[in-house]
Amino acid sequence: MSDPVIEIRELSRRFGSSIALDHIDLCVAEGTVLGLIGPNGAGKTTLIKHILGLLRSEQGSTRVFGLDPVADPEGVLSRIGYVSEERDLPGWMRIRDLYRYTRAFFPNWDDALVTELTERFQLDVGQKVKTLSRGQHVRTALVLALAHRPPLLVLDEPSSGLDPVVRRDVLESIVHTTAQSGSTVLFSSHLLDEVERLSDRLAMIVDGRIVVHDELDGIRQRHWCFAVHYDGPGAPLANVDGVLKSKPGLSPGECEVIGEGDPEELARALTAQGVSVLERRPTTLDEVFLARIDPAHSTQTAAHRTDHAT
Amino acid sequence: MAPGPLYCYSSTMIQLKASDVPLYKQIVQQISRLVASERWPAGYRLPSVRGLAEQLVVNHNTVARAYRELERQGVVTSRRGDGVFVADQSHPFARRRGEQQLRGSIERLLDEATQLGMTPRDLVDLVGDHAARREQASRPGTRRRA
């Protein structure tokens, strides 16, 4: 197997007293589409900035194509196509000028591809950037990111703030270009359905830590949802090994539990707490994600629930 | 964080939704259904992997995986360099495959019936009644259902 395109080891980052990244380990193999998902402020953009060499690794290391992006920005950035979360293309430029300007930085700029994408995205090259709609802005940024056929594409929240039609369009372009080029893609999003559609692997980042990183199926096969019933007074299920979250079910004494691990073992561990397992089913990615976000706050015991049942 | 809107991107006949069923499996199930109902008859050429990926807005590996699975199940055959085609379904395996496809629905139906206090026998009778009524409704002379 070839070396990973992105290799991050033990990366931590503080801004003042707050911890933005906390011992991040992340490897992305060539040709993988990795979806980076997390709530706003979880550290997605900070992580991406390290990959682009915009932030230096204070603790730990970041390697892209085996290079340190801060020490060798040219070697790294020439191989990355990047769409930033900010809509930050210069407003006074026309798309045409922007193409010409960006082209100068990239020896492998592909004019034919630019023409093709411009047509596909229905962009008017005579238009000034500041008059572009959000969707047109993203599409222009995508053309610029793709024009030098980069082996690594980094997209920070490519679809945020877009209406469903434009969003579909942008996502479709991503599917189109990745299917064609086979390039490695890292894209961040706070929307699970889009990550599920586009990616091979998924990394969930919460409070600066990567809490899950696996193939989509692997994540599904490791997480289970149980409906349990308290026969007697309830013990908290939150401390049971593997339990991520428990929340009250529909009827009193019932509880819904999301856990990670072998389903049989989880069931045994739950039963040992004096509850009976009524049902077990696989989880949706959404449930895993929600269970991973701030599980402490969402965990309740069924006993607690009974108090509020009426 | 508010969960995102669960918008559905679909081609005319395949609809994917956020659920606990992986997307590739949803594609497999729905294409199997299209084949079983002969909306995609034997010899029908499936959309290219890339084409369907774009249409459904999913990673092309997901579609490729679905096609591999369908090929393994004998629903489609791929001819190198030519595309992927619906296989001849008259093969004796096709029936078994159809049965397998229904297994999930039957399990769910049985569960529900049990919860309602019905026996499997009751359920079989009910299905029989239902089929008879449907047949009667579609007989010439009565108004034909779509």
Side-chain angles (χ1 to χ4, degrees):
Chain A
M1 213 179 119
S2 57
D3 290 334
V5 172
I6 299 174
E7 190 173 6
I8 295 172
R9 298 275 176 218
E10 285 288 306
L11 176 64
S12 293
R13 178 84 194 191
R14 283 169 169 280
F15 293 119
S17 63
S18 71
I19 298 169
L21 296 178
D22 189 1
H23 296 90
I24 300 268
D25 278 306
L26 185 70
C27 282
V28 185
E30 193 180 340
T32 307
V33 180
L34 174 75
L36 183 64
I37 186 140
N40 295 325
K44 301 189 291 282
T45 300
T46 308
L47 183 59
I48 286 174
K49 282 185 174 164
H50 280 88
I51 293 166
L52 298 172
L54 301 174
L55 289 173
R56 186 184 299 276
S57 308
E58 289 176 341
Q59 255 183 58
S61 70
T62 306
R63 292 286 176 275
V64 183
F65 300 109
L67 304 169
D68 177 349
V70 175
D72 188 357
E74 208 172 309
V76 172
L77 290 180
S78 64
R79 293 195 244 176
I80 296 183
Y82 168 57
V83 175
S84 110
E85 179 187 21
E86 319 288 338
R87 307 287 175 245
D88 56 1
L89 304 176
W92 51 274
M93 275 192 163
R94 294 181 193 283
I95 294 182
R96 187 192 293 122
D97 305 330
L98 198 54
Y99 285 174
R100 209 174 297 146
Y101 169 78
T102 317
R103 188 181 197 281
F105 293 94
F106 296 102
N108 7 338
W109 188 270
D110 185 338
D111 283 317
L113 179 63
V114 171
T115 311
E116 184 204 313
L117 291 172
T118 305
E119 222 161 87
R120 189 185 158 88
F121 294 169
Q122 299 177 315
L123 293 168
D124 170 7
V125 293
Q127 214 177 331
K128 275 197 178 169
V129 168
K130 68 176 170 209
T131 65
L132 298 176
S133 68
R134 286 185 85 95
Q136 288 168 326
H137 200 116
V138 180
R139 285 182 234 176
T140 308
L142 259 180
V143 176
L144 294 170
L146 295 167
H148 58 107
R149 298 196 177 272
L152 172 61
L153 198 57
V154 177
L155 310 166
D156 196 359
E157 298 268 357
S159 72
S160 85
L162 301 178
D163 70 58
V165 177
V166 182
R167 190 164 156 219
R168 185 195 153 103
D169 223 63
V170 167
L171 298 183
E172 201 183 285
S173 330
I174 296 171
V175 168
H176 177 77
T177 47
T178 55
Q180 219 159 31
S181 64
S183 46
T184 310
V185 182
L186 179 125
F187 81 102
S188 74
S189 173
H190 59 278
L191 299 174
L192 252 177
D193 60 340
E194 113 186 1
V195 172
E196 182 177 12
R197 279 169 181 278
L198 299 195
S199 43
D200 300 306
R201 299 177 68 89
L202 173 67
M204 280 185 192
I205 181 165
V206 178
D207 293 333
R209 280 178 303 125
I210 292 194
V211 292
V212 180
H213 174 211
D214 201 353
E215 289 179 7
L216 297 184
D217 273 1
I219 294 174
R220 277 205 194 82
Q221 283 158 14
R222 272 208 332 272
H223 290 84
W224 295 88
C225 180
F226 296 86
V228 302
H229 186 270
Y230 276 88
D231 302 320
L237 297 177
N239 304 327
V240 176
D241 255 2
V243 168
L244 299 171
K245 174 180 175 177
S246 74
K247 63 169 194 196
L250 288 176
S251 39
E254 257 182 54
C255 212
E256 209 180 89
V257 179
I258 308 258
E260 181 186 14
D262 177 69
E264 306 297 338
E265 272 171 37
L266 281 167
R268 270 198 298 277
L270 288 169
T271 315
Q273 299 298 310
V275 299
S276 44
V277 173
L278 304 173
E279 204 188 323
R280 160 180 111 198
R281 62 172 175 80
T283 55
T284 64
L285 291 174
D286 245 315
E287 287 171 321
V288 175
F289 186 43
L290 289 171
R292 290 282 184 177
I293 300 173
D294 205 5
H297 289 196
S298 52
T299 304
Q300 288 178 356
T301 64
H304 178 94
R305 155 76 185 164
T306 330
D307 295 339
H308 295 81
T310 43
Chain B
M1 190 210 77
L6 298 176
Y7 55 107
C8 288
Y9 292 156
S10 64
S11 76
T12 42
M13 298 197 222
I14 299 176
Q15 285 211 333
L16 303 181
K17 49 189 183 203
S19 81
D20 56 5
V21 182
L23 294 176
Y24 88 90
K25 246 185 216 164
Q26 293 186 37
I27 297 173
V28 167
Q29 285 167 352
Q30 297 192 39
I31 289 181
S32 302
R33 222 165 281 151
L34 287 167
V35 169
S37 67
E38 291 185 342
R39 279 168 81 179
W40 285 10
Y44 178 90
R45 182 207 282 265
L46 274 68
S48 70
V49 167
R50 218 186 276 172
L52 188 60
E54 274 178 54
Q55 208 173 9
L56 297 173
V57 196
V58 293
N59 186 315
H60 62 281
N61 290 331
T62 305
V63 177
R65 185 169 173 197
Y67 280 14
R68 275 200 306 276
E69 180 61 27
L70 286 163
E71 188 173 5
R72 202 186 56 78
Q73 295 179 6
V75 179
V76 304
T77 50
S78 75
R79 294 177 217 156
R80 192 174 277 278
D82 201 18
V84 178
F85 299 84
V86 172
D88 186 357
Q89 300 299 308
S90 62
H91 199 274
F93 282 142
R95 186 183 158 83
R96 243 190 32 217
R97 209 165 42 239
E99 285 170 9
Q100 264 170 5
Q101 209 178 310
L102 283 176
R103 196 181 292 160
S105 311
I106 294 174
E107 290 288 340
R108 268 196 305 281
L109 206 55
L110 276 168
D111 282 348
E112 245 177 281
T114 312
Q115 271 167 25
L116 293 170
M118 290 165 74
T119 65
R121 188 67 248 164
D122 295 338
L123 185 64
V124 170
D125 290 346
L126 197 66
V127 172
D129 288 353
H130 209 87
R133 228 175 303 148
R134 239 167 95 138
E135 201 176 323
Q136 201 173 19
S138 64
R139 226 169 257 158
T142 53
R143 200 154 59 89
R144 208 184 163 83
R145 283 210 221 156

